[in-house]
Amino acid sequence: MKRVAIPIVNNQLSENFGECNYYTIFEIDKKIKSAKTTLLPDSITLQELPSWLKKEGVTDVVTYKVNRLIINLFVAEKINLFLGIAIDTPEKIIDDYMQGKLVSDGKIILELTQ
């Protein structure tokens, strides 16, 4: 079973991971079993987000941008990152995820590696 988190601002993927109003977390087992809105704790820091998401059972995060300094924290928590994904609604993004059609913006990946 997978739990996929998408950071949301104004009912769309947040441009920057960690700068969102909430996460929509989809539970998937061959199909969507559930979707829930999860608010961020008020006192959480950017560096604490990967471990907090792990505690929420998240296995995958779909985002547009992420601070390259915390990528290793996701690796340490064994959370898969899908980066450079076009900003859209969580429903459209999870549909693309389930169909294996997520497409990354290569410019974002290059920006993160520089």
Side-chain angles (χ1 to χ4, degrees):
M1 177 154 345
K2 297 238 181 217
R3 294 193 77 187
V4 182
I6 302 174
I8 304 296
V9 170
N10 298 324
N11 199 37
Q12 292 199 348
L13 177 66
S14 173
E15 184 174 337
N16 293 296
F17 175 82
E19 297 177 16
C20 61
N21 300 115
Y22 59 90
Y23 287 86
T24 297
I25 299 176
F26 292 90
E27 190 169 290
I28 300 169
D29 189 7
K30 296 184 183 176
K31 63 178 182 161
I32 296 174
K33 294 186 101 177
S34 67
K36 71 174 187 172
T37 297
T38 303
L39 299 176
L40 293 170
D42 289 333
S43 60
I44 198 161
T45 67
L46 185 61
Q47 291 77 16
E48 295 170 321
L49 279 173
S51 64
W52 176 77
L53 287 166
K54 184 69 170 188
K55 288 177 188 165
E56 292 290 316
V58 170
T59 58
D60 299 68
V61 173
V62 178
T63 189
Y64 182 67
K65 287 183 187 177
V66 66
N67 183 319
R68 68 178 178 204
L69 301 176
I70 67 165
I71 290 175
N72 288 335
L73 298 175
F74 281 102
V75 172
E77 296 293 351
K78 296 182 172 96
I79 296 175
N80 301 309
L81 281 175
F82 295 84
L83 299 172
I85 306 306
I87 295 172
D88 210 327
T89 65
E91 295 79 16
K92 171 70 169 108
I93 291 168
I94 202 67
D95 186 51
D96 287 348
Y97 172 93
M98 293 182 65
Q99 293 180 38
K101 294 182 178 180
L102 287 178
V103 177
S104 180
D105 176 349
K107 292 185 282 183
I108 292 300
I109 302 302
L110 287 175
E111 184 179 304
L112 289 171
T113 59
Q114 295 177 352

